[in-house]
Amino acid sequence: MGHNGPVSEPRPRTPVFSLGAASRKRPPVTPARLAVGAALFSVCALGAWLTMPRPDVRVINASGQAVTVTVRGEGSAATRTLGVDRVWAVEQAFPAGPLRFQVRLPGRPGVSTALASPVLPLRVAIGEDGRVAPR
């Protein structure tokens, strides 16, 4: 009829991925292989942790009320409203030099605090009076 090639017997179909096939191809698990895997995982995790960006300034709202905070450095500024007991990891990169914090409390005039030469990274807390102090 229309078939020119030799007739072959149909092969049984096998799944591409099967549990038995995967276990046959994998080398046996030994304590040495587990130790090497754990060491590689540890090195990768340490590398990821070391290369993670860290904020220059972390602001903690300990005033007991919602406040608006502005942090200014040489040529850069960042502003955020913080709720009660909230922490702000300021993502703005600040150069070395003085930092000025402006805190606006509800129903009161703003309070300004300047830190002459803080060591970065810096953690500060906002007190009940709106003043900023290093922590």
Side-chain angles (χ1 to χ4, degrees):
M1 324 282 182
H3 186 75
N4 293 337
V7 178
S8 62
E9 298 274 329
R11 291 185 300 171
R13 297 184 70 188
T14 58
V16 176
F17 297 106
S18 68
L19 192 59
S23 66
R24 277 183 272 136
K25 293 179 184 177
R26 191 177 306 162
V29 176
T30 63
R33 287 183 189 270
L34 289 174
V36 168
L40 287 173
F41 177 79
S42 299
V43 167
C44 290
L46 178 64
W49 183 78
L50 289 173
T51 58
M52 224 169 29
R54 304 277 190 264
D56 287 345
V57 179
R58 190 175 297 264
V59 180
I60 302 163
N61 183 9
S63 68
Q65 54 195 328
V67 297
T68 301
V69 183
T70 302
V71 182
R72 285 190 171 82
E74 292 286 327
S76 58
T79 302
R80 175 154 308 163
T81 300
L82 290 177
V84 178
D85 296 329
R86 292 293 182 190
V87 177
W88 175 30
V90 183
E91 295 174 6
Q92 181 73 36
F94 294 101
L99 288 177
R100 180 169 297 283
F101 296 88
Q102 179 74 31
V103 179
R104 284 178 280 175
L105 300 164
R108 291 200 212 155
V111 178
S112 183
T113 306
L115 298 176
S117 55
V119 177
L120 299 177
L122 174 69
R123 287 180 63 156
V124 297
I126 302 169
E128 291 178 5
D129 58 353
R131 294 190 186 190
V132 174
R135 225 176 185 190

